[in-house]
Amino acid sequence: MLRRSFAALLFACALAACGGNSGSAPTTQAGGTTTQAEAGAAVFITTDCGATVLTAKTPVDAGQNAMRALDRVADIETDSGGKFVTAIEGVEQNEGKNLFWLYYVNGKSADKGAAEVKLAAGDVEWWDLHNWKKECVSVPPDAQ
């Protein structure tokens, strides 16, 4: 009995030393708040280059495509067989004003369609409704 208890204790210590917790360690953000570090990806939705947040940064599973991740966190409307996003959370693009839903991965403009981009762990998929002729001057911190 003593041998079994000792073996269990050794196993528990080894597990703790190896980081037996499959999650990430907590991290401290600006302002002193502590959060669990994300092992997956995230989706963040704004308008006017981040001036208005429609959907706060929301964790999603890594490994899925950007369109599927967006669809899991927001109500979306698409066109061209699901290739282009035309509305998110009821906010529609406006072709007359050149306002379109554009997306970025880790703050950089995506070079492929959202159905073609696979999110990796740590990626942030940022959707923003703004004039497509004017690139956003800055990237919101939550979009990086």
Side-chain angles (χ1 to χ4, degrees):
M1 182 70 150
L2 183 59
R3 187 176 279 171
R4 211 178 280 164
S5 295
F6 183 71
L9 178 63
L10 279 177
F11 177 75
C13 289
L15 190 60
C18 293
N21 179 359
S22 62
S24 301
T27 57
T28 303
Q29 296 179 336
T33 58
T34 302
T35 60
Q36 191 72 16
E38 299 299 328
V43 176
F44 181 54
I45 306 166
T46 64
T47 63
D48 302 318
C49 293
T52 303
V53 174
L54 289 183
T55 302
K57 191 173 176 180
T58 305
V60 295
D61 292 334
Q64 62 188 317
N65 71 45
M67 186 67 81
R68 179 168 288 137
L70 174 64
D71 191 33
R72 290 180 189 254
V73 302
D75 180 30
I76 65 172
E77 292 178 30
T78 61
D79 198 0
S80 298
K83 292 182 181 180
F84 298 103
V85 174
T86 58
I88 301 177
E89 296 297 334
V91 180
E92 296 181 359
Q93 58 190 25
N94 184 327
E95 293 180 38
K97 293 183 178 181
N98 292 320
L99 296 175
F100 291 90
W101 282 106
L102 304 171
Y103 88 102
Y104 304 77
V105 177
N106 301 325
K108 296 179 182 164
S109 181
D111 58 357
K112 294 181 182 176
E116 300 174 62
V117 173
K118 186 176 179 181
L119 297 175
D123 281 351
V124 178
E125 173 185 350
W126 171 40
W127 286 84
D128 188 77
L129 178 72
H130 65 269
N131 186 322
W132 71 273
K133 292 182 179 181
K134 299 176 185 174
E135 193 62 35
C136 294
V137 176
S138 63
V139 176
D142 278 350
Q144 300 177 26

